[in-house]
Short mmCIF file of all heavy atoms in Angstrom, two decimals:
data_model
loop_
_atom_site.label_atom_id
_atom_site.label_comp_id
_atom_site.label_asym_id
_atom_site.label_seq_id
_atom_site.Cartn_x
_atom_site.Cartn_y
_atom_site.Cartn_z
N SER S 1 5.69 4.92 -14.19
CA SER S 1 4.50 5.59 -14.70
C SER S 1 4.53 5.67 -16.21
O SER S 1 5.57 6.02 -16.79
CB SER S 1 4.39 7.01 -14.11
OG SER S 1 4.31 6.98 -12.70
N MET S 2 3.42 5.35 -16.83
CA MET S 2 3.31 5.48 -18.28
C MET S 2 3.58 6.93 -18.69
O MET S 2 3.17 7.87 -18.01
CB MET S 2 1.91 5.09 -18.73
CG MET S 2 1.64 3.60 -18.70
SD MET S 2 2.34 2.76 -20.13
CE MET S 2 1.21 3.29 -21.40
N GLY S 3 4.30 7.08 -19.80
CA GLY S 3 4.60 8.42 -20.29
C GLY S 3 5.86 9.02 -19.71
O GLY S 3 6.24 10.14 -20.06
N ARG S 4 6.55 8.27 -18.84
CA ARG S 4 7.79 8.75 -18.23
C ARG S 4 8.85 7.67 -18.29
O ARG S 4 8.60 6.53 -17.89
CB ARG S 4 7.55 9.14 -16.78
CG ARG S 4 8.77 9.70 -16.06
CD ARG S 4 8.53 9.88 -14.58
NE ARG S 4 8.41 8.61 -13.89
CZ ARG S 4 7.99 8.48 -12.63
NH1 ARG S 4 7.61 9.54 -11.95
NH2 ARG S 4 7.92 7.28 -12.07
N ALA S 5 10.01 8.01 -18.83
CA ALA S 5 11.13 7.07 -18.85
C ALA S 5 11.87 7.14 -17.51
O ALA S 5 12.21 8.24 -17.05
CB ALA S 5 12.09 7.40 -19.99
N ASP S 6 12.08 5.99 -16.90
CA ASP S 6 12.78 5.94 -15.61
C ASP S 6 14.15 5.30 -15.81
O ASP S 6 14.31 4.34 -16.56
CB ASP S 6 11.99 5.13 -14.59
CG ASP S 6 10.83 5.92 -14.01
OD1 ASP S 6 10.73 7.12 -14.32
OD2 ASP S 6 10.01 5.32 -13.28
N TYR S 7 15.14 5.84 -15.10
CA TYR S 7 16.50 5.31 -15.16
C TYR S 7 16.89 4.87 -13.75
O TYR S 7 16.96 5.69 -12.83
CB TYR S 7 17.48 6.37 -15.69
CG TYR S 7 17.21 6.71 -17.13
CD1 TYR S 7 16.25 7.67 -17.47
CD2 TYR S 7 17.87 6.06 -18.15
CE1 TYR S 7 15.99 7.97 -18.80
CE2 TYR S 7 17.61 6.36 -19.48
CZ TYR S 7 16.67 7.31 -19.80
OH TYR S 7 16.40 7.60 -21.11
N ILE S 8 17.13 3.57 -13.59
CA ILE S 8 17.36 2.97 -12.28
C ILE S 8 18.82 2.52 -12.17
O ILE S 8 19.30 1.75 -13.02
CB ILE S 8 16.44 1.75 -12.04
CG1 ILE S 8 14.98 2.11 -12.39
CG2 ILE S 8 16.58 1.25 -10.62
CD1 ILE S 8 14.40 3.22 -11.55
N ARG S 9 19.53 2.98 -11.17
CA ARG S 9 20.92 2.54 -10.94
C ARG S 9 20.93 1.11 -10.43
O ARG S 9 20.13 0.75 -9.56
CB ARG S 9 21.61 3.47 -9.94
CG ARG S 9 21.73 4.90 -10.46
CD ARG S 9 22.00 5.88 -9.35
NE ARG S 9 21.78 7.24 -9.83
CZ ARG S 9 21.57 8.29 -9.04
NH1 ARG S 9 21.57 8.14 -7.74
NH2 ARG S 9 21.39 9.48 -9.55
N VAL S 10 21.83 0.30 -10.97
CA VAL S 10 21.86 -1.11 -10.61
C VAL S 10 23.28 -1.60 -10.39
O VAL S 10 24.24 -1.02 -10.88
CB VAL S 10 21.19 -2.00 -11.69
CG1 VAL S 10 19.71 -1.70 -11.81
CG2 VAL S 10 21.90 -1.83 -13.03
N ARG S 11 23.37 -2.68 -9.62
CA ARG S 11 24.62 -3.43 -9.44
C ARG S 11 24.49 -4.72 -10.24
O ARG S 11 23.46 -5.39 -10.19
CB ARG S 11 24.83 -3.76 -7.96
CG ARG S 11 26.11 -4.55 -7.69
CD ARG S 11 26.25 -4.85 -6.19
NE ARG S 11 25.28 -5.83 -5.74
CZ ARG S 11 25.44 -7.15 -5.79
NH1 ARG S 11 26.57 -7.65 -6.31
NH2 ARG S 11 24.52 -7.98 -5.33
N LEU S 12 25.52 -5.04 -11.00
CA LEU S 12 25.52 -6.27 -11.80
C LEU S 12 26.21 -7.40 -11.06
O LEU S 12 27.23 -7.19 -10.42
CB LEU S 12 26.23 -6.03 -13.13
CG LEU S 12 25.56 -5.09 -14.13
CD1 LEU S 12 26.50 -4.82 -15.30
CD2 LEU S 12 24.24 -5.65 -14.60
N PHE S 13 25.64 -8.59 -11.15
CA PHE S 13 26.31 -9.76 -10.62
C PHE S 13 25.90 -10.98 -11.44
O PHE S 13 24.86 -10.97 -12.11
CB PHE S 13 26.00 -9.97 -9.14
CG PHE S 13 24.55 -10.30 -8.83
CD1 PHE S 13 24.12 -11.61 -8.73
CD2 PHE S 13 23.63 -9.28 -8.64
CE1 PHE S 13 22.80 -11.91 -8.45
CE2 PHE S 13 22.30 -9.57 -8.35
CZ PHE S 13 21.89 -10.88 -8.26
N GLU S 14 26.76 -11.99 -11.41
CA GLU S 14 26.52 -13.20 -12.19
C GLU S 14 25.99 -14.31 -11.27
O GLU S 14 26.52 -14.55 -10.19
CB GLU S 14 27.81 -13.65 -12.88
CG GLU S 14 27.60 -14.67 -13.98
CD GLU S 14 28.87 -14.93 -14.77
OE1 GLU S 14 29.94 -14.44 -14.35
OE2 GLU S 14 28.79 -15.62 -15.80
N LYS S 15 24.93 -14.96 -11.74
CA LYS S 15 24.33 -16.05 -10.97
C LYS S 15 23.90 -17.14 -11.94
O LYS S 15 23.11 -16.87 -12.86
CB LYS S 15 23.13 -15.53 -10.17
CG LYS S 15 22.40 -16.60 -9.36
CD LYS S 15 21.21 -15.98 -8.66
CE LYS S 15 20.40 -17.02 -7.90
NZ LYS S 15 19.21 -16.43 -7.24
N GLU S 16 24.44 -18.34 -11.75
CA GLU S 16 24.09 -19.48 -12.60
C GLU S 16 24.23 -19.17 -14.08
O GLU S 16 23.34 -19.40 -14.89
CB GLU S 16 22.67 -19.97 -12.28
CG GLU S 16 22.51 -20.46 -10.85
CD GLU S 16 21.08 -20.87 -10.51
OE1 GLU S 16 20.18 -20.62 -11.34
OE2 GLU S 16 20.89 -21.42 -9.41
N SER S 17 25.39 -18.53 -14.40
CA SER S 17 25.77 -18.21 -15.78
C SER S 17 24.87 -17.17 -16.43
O SER S 17 24.83 -17.05 -17.66
CB SER S 17 25.80 -19.48 -16.65
OG SER S 17 26.74 -20.42 -16.14
N GLU S 18 24.14 -16.42 -15.64
CA GLU S 18 23.32 -15.33 -16.17
C GLU S 18 23.62 -14.05 -15.41
O GLU S 18 23.98 -14.07 -14.23
CB GLU S 18 21.82 -15.63 -16.04
CG GLU S 18 21.32 -16.70 -16.97
CD GLU S 18 19.81 -16.77 -16.94
OE1 GLU S 18 19.23 -17.04 -15.87
OE2 GLU S 18 19.18 -16.55 -18.00
N TRP S 19 23.48 -12.93 -16.11
CA TRP S 19 23.69 -11.64 -15.46
C TRP S 19 22.39 -11.12 -14.86
O TRP S 19 21.31 -11.21 -15.48
CB TRP S 19 24.25 -10.61 -16.45
CG TRP S 19 25.69 -10.88 -16.77
CD1 TRP S 19 26.21 -11.53 -17.83
CD2 TRP S 19 26.80 -10.51 -15.94
NE1 TRP S 19 27.58 -11.61 -17.75
CE2 TRP S 19 27.97 -10.99 -16.60
CE3 TRP S 19 26.93 -9.83 -14.74
CZ2 TRP S 19 29.24 -10.80 -16.07
CZ3 TRP S 19 28.20 -9.65 -14.21
CH2 TRP S 19 29.33 -10.12 -14.88
N TRP S 20 22.50 -10.62 -13.65
CA TRP S 20 21.36 -10.04 -12.93
C TRP S 20 21.66 -8.58 -12.59
O TRP S 20 22.81 -8.21 -12.38
CB TRP S 20 21.09 -10.82 -11.65
CG TRP S 20 20.49 -12.17 -11.88
CD1 TRP S 20 21.13 -13.30 -12.32
CD2 TRP S 20 19.11 -12.54 -11.71
NE1 TRP S 20 20.25 -14.35 -12.42
CE2 TRP S 20 19.00 -13.91 -12.06
CE3 TRP S 20 17.97 -11.84 -11.32
CZ2 TRP S 20 17.78 -14.59 -12.01
CZ3 TRP S 20 16.76 -12.52 -11.26
CH2 TRP S 20 16.68 -13.88 -11.60
N ALA S 21 20.62 -7.80 -12.55
CA ALA S 21 20.74 -6.38 -12.20
C ALA S 21 19.95 -6.14 -10.92
O ALA S 21 18.74 -6.35 -10.88
CB ALA S 21 20.21 -5.50 -13.33
N GLU S 22 20.66 -5.72 -9.88
CA GLU S 22 20.04 -5.45 -8.58
C GLU S 22 19.89 -3.94 -8.40
O GLU S 22 20.90 -3.22 -8.35
CB GLU S 22 20.89 -6.02 -7.45
CG GLU S 22 20.30 -5.75 -6.07
CD GLU S 22 21.22 -6.25 -4.97
OE1 GLU S 22 22.44 -6.34 -5.22
OE2 GLU S 22 20.72 -6.51 -3.87
N PRO S 23 18.67 -3.44 -8.32
CA PRO S 23 18.50 -1.98 -8.14
C PRO S 23 19.17 -1.51 -6.85
O PRO S 23 19.13 -2.18 -5.82
CB PRO S 23 16.97 -1.83 -8.05
CG PRO S 23 16.42 -3.02 -8.75
CD PRO S 23 17.39 -4.13 -8.45
N ILE S 24 19.83 -0.37 -6.94
CA ILE S 24 20.46 0.25 -5.78
C ILE S 24 19.47 1.24 -5.20
O ILE S 24 19.18 2.29 -5.80
CB ILE S 24 21.78 0.93 -6.15
CG1 ILE S 24 22.78 -0.12 -6.63
CG2 ILE S 24 22.35 1.72 -4.97
CD1 ILE S 24 24.08 0.44 -7.11
N ILE S 25 18.91 0.88 -4.08
CA ILE S 25 17.87 1.70 -3.47
C ILE S 25 18.50 2.77 -2.60
O ILE S 25 19.38 2.49 -1.78
CB ILE S 25 16.91 0.83 -2.63
CG1 ILE S 25 16.34 -0.31 -3.49
CG2 ILE S 25 15.80 1.68 -2.06
CD1 ILE S 25 15.61 0.15 -4.72
N GLY S 26 18.09 3.98 -2.79
CA GLY S 26 18.61 5.08 -1.99
C GLY S 26 17.98 6.38 -2.42
O GLY S 26 17.43 6.50 -3.52
N LYS S 27 18.04 7.35 -1.55
CA LYS S 27 17.46 8.65 -1.88
C LYS S 27 18.24 9.31 -3.00
O LYS S 27 19.45 9.12 -3.14
CB LYS S 27 17.45 9.52 -0.62
CG LYS S 27 16.56 8.93 0.47
CD LYS S 27 16.76 9.61 1.81
CE LYS S 27 15.93 8.94 2.89
NZ LYS S 27 16.22 9.44 4.23
N SER S 28 17.54 10.10 -3.79
CA SER S 28 18.15 10.65 -5.00
C SER S 28 19.34 11.54 -4.72
O SER S 28 20.19 11.72 -5.57
CB SER S 28 17.10 11.46 -5.79
OG SER S 28 16.61 12.53 -5.01
N GLY S 29 19.44 12.08 -3.51
CA GLY S 29 20.55 12.97 -3.20
C GLY S 29 21.83 12.27 -2.78
O GLY S 29 22.83 12.93 -2.51
N LEU S 30 21.82 10.92 -2.71
CA LEU S 30 22.99 10.21 -2.22
C LEU S 30 24.02 9.99 -3.33
O LEU S 30 23.72 9.37 -4.35
CB LEU S 30 22.59 8.86 -1.63
CG LEU S 30 21.61 8.89 -0.45
CD1 LEU S 30 21.36 7.48 0.06
CD2 LEU S 30 22.14 9.79 0.66
N ILE S 31 25.23 10.50 -3.12
CA ILE S 31 26.30 10.33 -4.11
C ILE S 31 26.70 8.87 -4.23
O ILE S 31 27.02 8.39 -5.32
CB ILE S 31 27.52 11.18 -3.69
CG1 ILE S 31 27.16 12.65 -3.65
CG2 ILE S 31 28.70 10.97 -4.63
CD1 ILE S 31 28.21 13.53 -3.01
N THR S 32 26.68 8.14 -3.13
CA THR S 32 27.20 6.78 -3.14
C THR S 32 26.35 5.82 -3.97
O THR S 32 26.82 4.75 -4.33
CB THR S 32 27.32 6.25 -1.70
OG1 THR S 32 26.13 6.60 -0.97
CG2 THR S 32 28.53 6.83 -1.03
#
């Protein structure tokens, strides 16, 4: 949403010599 900064947890992995960020989808209350 415009006007709001969002911080998304991600997992990093390398693919074809480039780094990719995969969002970790889960409810906000999950520690894992």
Side-chain angles (χ1 to χ4, degrees):
S1 300
M2 286 281 287
R4 182 188 70 191
D6 282 353
Y7 293 85
I8 311 299
R9 297 162 194 161
V10 295
R11 180 181 70 87
L12 293 172
F13 65 94
E14 195 172 8
K15 178 182 177 182
E16 298 177 351
S17 300
E18 289 190 300
W19 286 98
W20 288 77
E22 179 184 25
I24 295 176
I25 306 302
K27 297 168 184 173
S28 61
L30 300 183
I31 298 169
T32 44

